[in-house]
Amino acid sequence: MIELRRDSLVFTFPEVHPQAQLSVNFQRTLRIPDDGKEYPLPPGLGAFPLRHVDDFPKTVSPDWLEHGGVLLPMYQSEALWIMFQAKYIDEHGTYPFAVQVAAGKINAVTGDTWKEGLERRPQNYLVAPTQPWLDGFSVKKGLIRQFVAMPLGAGYSAEEQITGKGEYGGLQISVFPMKAVAFERHFPRRPAGLFSKFVKGCRGFVESDMGLAPGGLMKQEIYEDRFAFDDWDTTHSRCFVHIANSLVWRSITGVNPPTPPPTSKEYTKHGLPWFDYYDDGSVPLPGADVLAQLQSVAELGKKKGDVPLPENESVSPSNVKVIRPRKSKEQVREGVF
Amino acid sequence: MNDNGFGGYIRQRREELRTEDSDFSLRKVAAAIDVEPSYLSKIERGDLPPPSEKAILALAKALNENPDMLLALAGKVSTDLQQIIRKRPKLFAEVIRELKDMPDHAVLRVVREVRDGNW
């Protein structure tokens, strides 16, 4: 089942393991320049607010009610990353989950249209907590294109570029827990302190009026599943995350969205930190050809003669903090704002 | 009325309070809830059934008792709760029956699932 707790989606699977729990939240962040350069990871600027679509039956579109799930507000000037935080079970380890992530029902790891169910070759999911965060579409080994919001119908979203239609928008997340027997086998009971390889993490979703388009290039690896395919349970829970543009959010919910985030230029000018994440013990996936062929918002805007990004100046982050797994149980990737 | 659960409880509670404060005499409490002392006395002895919801709520206030608890002792359910149930009778009947045997801490944590729809 999925609950909404303090702007996080909390997935639990009491029928699989009493303590299996994965929290997923959507972090606000700045839009990295879409200039062909490869950038480090931008900070988390706090979680996007999430609300049940069912709480606004009169102001959300019938499509959203049909999809169910939650909604969040997003400015076109901001971007989002998804943070995954799996529960640490004392004297065992962190409970693993396989997570499928799609934007506009385009799988962010493979570029395929949404298929319910895990596949190993090519791997159409990521594994939490090995993967603490996901910032965008996997375009190449070690490289993603940032999830940025664009109005659905303008032709920029990954969904529209691949299917020719802007039908769904938003984000879709499906979570599969590891089977309890596999968990007990991989993480047998042992004294506390010896085993905590995994990092906790999570980085938000979005959906609705807005679709997620491929933005600037960012260095981020999507890791290969190191468990056996049969270790994953087929039980799963899924959630549709609708993205409302910030003005629409106000008319739906009656409350103001958070203030707009800083630009990359402003953020970097103040010497605030960017991040790099290295996990030497995990193998990165190669990236998806279909996603590599997508045109970024800036590239497509140039072709269309649009200026979709008023602020897109290159920056040179000098304050880059390196984060590695194993250093601590809680990895923090936050900027000051 | 022979079953004196409600009346007996009220009397016991009022007498306890009276040992420290004379404002809890039968006469003064009856005045506080706007009934005759003889009427309250008969209720306390179980000679009469529990009074109206309004009088029970006034008694709860006078004796610093939980109104829902006193209403339950009197075999009643407050009007506002009845209205809530009447609005969605099937749903609340199911919920209440479902919660019947759960421990208090589980009942108090009402869980709301994020609804999945058709994509």
Side-chain angles (χ1 to χ4, degrees):
Chain A
M1 66 177 289
I2 311 172
E3 285 173 73
L4 188 50
R5 287 188 217 157
R6 293 183 187 176
D7 295 327
S8 285
L9 293 172
V10 180
F11 292 78
T12 51
F13 299 89
E15 68 279 30
V16 174
H17 188 287
Q19 288 176 284
Q21 179 181 307
L22 179 74
S23 292
V24 177
N25 73 61
F26 304 91
Q27 285 286 320
R28 305 176 64 222
T29 193
L30 36 95
R31 218 165 157 149
I32 62 166
D34 181 358
D35 56 2
K37 278 172 66 178
E38 294 171 15
Y39 286 90
L41 303 168
L45 300 174
F48 280 97
L50 296 176
R51 297 289 179 270
H52 292 273
V53 290
D54 286 346
D55 288 352
F56 309 100
K58 291 181 183 154
T59 47
V60 299
S61 76
D63 283 351
W64 288 22
L65 286 175
E66 169 82 13
H67 297 151
V70 298
L71 69 152
L72 66 81
M74 205 169 166
Y75 290 96
Q76 204 168 314
S77 58
E78 69 188 339
L80 142 167
W81 52 267
I82 309 173
M83 178 151 87
F84 306 101
Q85 292 176 306
K87 186 171 180 179
Y88 184 84
I89 299 178
D90 283 345
E91 300 190 350
H92 286 274
T94 306
Y95 206 96
F97 295 87
V99 185
Q100 288 182 295
V101 178
K105 292 183 74 173
I106 298 297
N107 189 301
V109 177
T110 63
D112 291 337
T113 51
W114 182 259
K115 261 181 279 180
E116 197 95 18
L118 303 178
E119 284 175 12
R120 191 60 172 256
R121 289 199 174 72
Q123 182 181 314
N124 68 354
Y125 57 93
L126 46 86
V127 177
T130 313
Q131 191 81 41
W133 313 305
L134 181 69
D135 284 61
F137 299 98
S138 172
V139 297
K140 237 168 117 174
K141 184 171 171 178
L143 215 54
I144 57 112
R145 274 201 185 275
Q146 192 180 28
F147 288 135
V148 298
M150 289 298 282
L152 215 53
Y156 290 95
S157 69
E159 174 186 5
E160 287 164 279
Q161 290 194 50
I162 289 173
T163 68
K165 286 187 288 188
E167 203 175 347
Y168 298 102
L171 277 165
Q172 296 77 30
I173 293 192
S174 194
V175 176
F176 297 72
M178 179 171 273
K179 289 175 182 166
V181 287
F183 175 68
E184 300 289 342
R185 192 173 65 242
H186 288 294
F187 303 88
R189 192 180 192 87
R190 65 184 71 197
L194 290 180
F195 197 95
S196 64
K197 170 175 163 54
F198 293 114
V199 183
K200 295 181 173 186
C202 244
R203 280 167 109 177
F205 334 124
V206 175
E207 258 250 9
S208 153
D209 214 22
M210 306 284 272
L212 291 179
L217 286 171
M218 197 190 299
K219 285 177 268 183
Q220 183 173 56
E221 294 177 328
I222 315 286
Y223 299 109
E224 198 174 277
D225 181 3
R226 68 183 181 89
F227 300 107
F229 192 61
D230 188 49
D231 286 344
W232 301 109
D233 206 292
T234 51
T235 305
H236 62 285
S237 292
R238 59 176 211 172
C239 185
F240 200 115
V241 184
H242 299 265
I243 302 172
N245 89 33
S246 297
L247 292 174
V248 173
W249 171 268
R250 184 161 27 199
S251 66
I252 292 173
T253 64
V255 298
N256 287 329
T259 52
T263 63
S264 289
K265 191 180 165 193
E266 286 165 351
Y267 183 84
T268 310
K269 193 173 76 186
H270 290 93
L272 295 169
W274 292 66
F275 302 87
D276 261 334
Y277 181 80
Y278 292 111
D279 182 354
D280 302 335
S282 296
V283 180
L285 291 174
D289 288 343
V290 63
L291 295 174
Q293 280 157 26
L294 294 178
Q295 298 183 75
S296 76
V297 171
E299 289 164 356
L300 197 52
K302 210 168 171 184
K303 264 191 197 161
K304 288 169 176 263
D306 276 354
V307 187
L309 307 169
E311 287 272 0
N312 194 35
E313 272 184 74
S314 298
V315 296
S316 303
S318 52
N319 179 5
V320 180
K321 296 195 166 165
V322 176
I323 300 177
R324 290 176 190 276
R326 296 185 189 84
K327 285 270 170 79
S328 72
K329 269 199 267 172
E330 299 279 352
Q331 296 283 11
V332 179
R333 178 182 155 192
E334 282 173 359
V336 180
F337 60 105
Chain B
M1 179 171 163
N2 296 322
D3 178 9
N4 194 21
F6 179 82
Y9 181 81
I10 295 295
R11 176 172 215 153
Q12 183 197 336
R13 187 75 193 116
R14 187 182 58 71
E15 292 289 346
E16 278 168 16
L17 292 165
R18 195 175 66 115
T19 58
E20 297 191 354
D21 188 339
S22 61
D23 277 354
F24 292 96
S25 70
L26 182 74
R27 195 171 52 81
K28 285 192 175 169
V29 170
I33 67 166
D34 204 19
V35 298
E36 291 297 324
S38 61
Y39 177 61
L40 181 58
S41 172
K42 283 177 183 166
I43 287 169
E44 285 191 353
R45 291 200 308 267
D47 294 343
L48 284 176
S52 67
E53 180 178 343
K54 192 180 160 204
I56 292 174
L57 295 180
L59 257 179
K61 200 173 170 194
L63 302 177
N64 197 23
E65 288 287 299
N66 180 289
D68 288 315
M69 212 271 296
L70 280 196
L71 283 168
L73 261 182
K76 295 175 195 276
V77 174
S78 72
T79 308
D80 69 315
L81 283 179
Q82 290 182 40
Q83 278 169 354
I84 291 169
I85 295 166
R86 272 195 219 109
K87 265 193 186 165
R88 293 189 280 180
K90 189 164 170 279
L91 175 72
F92 281 105
E94 261 173 44
V95 168
I96 292 167
R97 290 194 182 104
E98 190 80 14
L99 299 179
K100 183 175 62 123
D101 297 321
M102 280 195 198
D104 291 1
H105 68 269
V107 174
L108 281 171
R109 191 170 159 273
V110 174
V111 167
R112 178 176 180 191
E113 262 190 86
V114 174
R115 180 180 62 84
D116 188 22
N118 298 317
W119 298 2

